[in-house]
Amino acid sequence: MLYNLIMLFIFDMGGVVTTTFRMDSIYDKLHLTKDDFFSICRMNDCDIWDKLEKGNISPSNFWEEFNVRIAKLQRSTYDGIVEIEDIVKLSPETDIQKVPTVQHDLFRLCFHPKLNEETVALIKELSKKHRVVCGTNTIQSHWENHMERGDYSYFQQTYASNKISATKPNKEFFELILDAENAKPQEAFFTDDKEDNCKAAEAVGINAIQFTTAAELRKAWKKYL
């Protein structure tokens, strides 16, 4: 039977193994809404958030460019440059002049994850019989923090977006992991707190379950323990 085979279990990190990162703290510090923040990240058809998640730029490069973009938007208020504002649609309540210059890595300073001990216990049990890895979207600031805390040490391998240059929910992310693990989709299981990531995994044939609690996941995967 299938559950007697050595299976591949892929766990997301934030929201599953640890608490997820609350970006709200950064939006508040910048006096921006979530939509504003990501609109600025996508300015000039160059998505610096995507580049950061894929490890193509460092956090310091991100904030340097972010500051440049904010400065351009702030100057446009005085100089009447409409081209920039035509590209970036900010919320009516946003006062771009109140956005501060970022001097430090807010992604690192505002990141305080807490470990889900029940999920860790499940990972340890599955690891006795199966291959258990981490598949996560992350950035260098958070990668370093997780490494310092030992959060990746529970896994036999970690596939992080900033290291493999691919992000969920793109199917390439899952295909890269399957190829690296020499695993068939039907022999792989995936859990993530985000529904779109689970659907993306299912689209390539992986058995996916949206994470709610470790107890529910344990029930679903009981026969593999």
Side-chain angles (χ1 to χ4, degrees):
M1 288 181 287
L2 190 63
Y3 50 82
N4 288 327
L5 299 173
I6 295 177
M7 312 300 285
L8 174 66
F9 288 85
I10 309 167
F11 282 72
D12 176 38
M13 176 58 71
V16 177
V17 183
T18 66
T19 51
T20 191
F21 178 50
R22 292 189 59 81
M23 286 282 286
D24 291 354
S25 57
I26 289 181
Y27 308 146
D28 291 344
K29 288 180 183 296
L30 296 175
H31 306 293
L32 292 170
T33 66
K34 176 182 178 179
D35 289 342
D36 289 343
F37 177 82
F38 285 103
S39 290
I40 292 167
C41 287
R42 293 189 294 268
M43 273 179 66
N44 306 322
D45 293 323
C46 178
D47 191 339
I48 55 175
W49 176 258
D50 182 65
K51 289 180 178 293
L52 184 65
E53 274 200 316
K54 290 181 179 176
N56 295 329
I57 60 173
S58 67
S60 60
N61 292 149
F62 175 93
W63 288 118
E64 181 180 359
E65 176 60 23
F66 188 85
N67 286 334
V68 167
R69 295 180 181 195
I70 292 298
K72 286 181 179 179
L73 290 169
Q74 290 173 335
R75 285 198 303 272
S76 73
T77 302
Y78 297 110
D79 298 340
I81 302 173
V82 297
E83 289 83 0
I84 293 176
E85 291 183 314
D86 283 344
I87 297 173
V88 183
K89 302 297 184 182
L90 300 179
S91 304
E93 66 271 20
T94 294
D95 183 351
I96 196 65
Q97 299 300 329
K98 291 184 178 180
V99 180
T101 299
V102 179
Q103 302 287 354
H104 307 284
D105 182 10
L106 298 181
F107 297 129
R108 184 62 183 253
L109 294 174
C110 298
F111 189 51
H112 310 288
K114 295 181 180 179
L115 197 65
N116 187 326
E117 298 287 357
E118 292 184 5
T119 302
V120 171
L122 177 58
I123 291 169
K124 289 179 177 179
E125 286 186 55
L126 285 169
S127 296
K128 293 176 182 178
K129 299 179 180 179
H130 304 284
R131 177 78 171 168
V132 186
V133 304
C134 181
T136 178
N137 281 356
T138 193
I139 59 178
Q140 188 64 27
S141 307
H142 297 173
W143 165 271
E144 292 171 357
N145 188 281
H146 283 304
M147 287 292 289
E148 290 169 2
R149 290 159 43 94
D151 295 334
Y152 297 128
S153 66
Y154 305 111
F155 297 100
Q156 294 158 313
Q157 185 79 25
T158 295
Y159 298 97
S161 63
N162 66 315
K163 298 300 180 182
I164 65 174
S165 296
T167 56
K168 297 175 287 186
N170 297 309
K171 70 174 184 178
E172 177 191 17
F173 180 89
F174 300 100
E175 291 172 344
L176 283 170
I177 295 176
L178 291 173
D179 183 58
E181 293 290 331
N182 193 28
K184 298 176 181 177
Q186 63 269 28
E187 297 173 355
F189 295 81
F190 173 71
T191 186
D192 194 298
D193 59 315
K194 294 183 174 60
E195 183 181 10
D196 58 342
N197 292 337
C198 290
K199 287 183 176 180
E202 289 177 339
V204 298
I206 295 173
N207 304 283
I209 296 177
Q210 185 175 1
F211 183 87
T212 53
T213 66
E216 288 299 314
L217 193 61
R218 179 181 290 276
K219 289 180 184 178
W221 290 348
K222 183 178 180 180
K223 63 185 178 182
Y224 298 103
L225 294 172

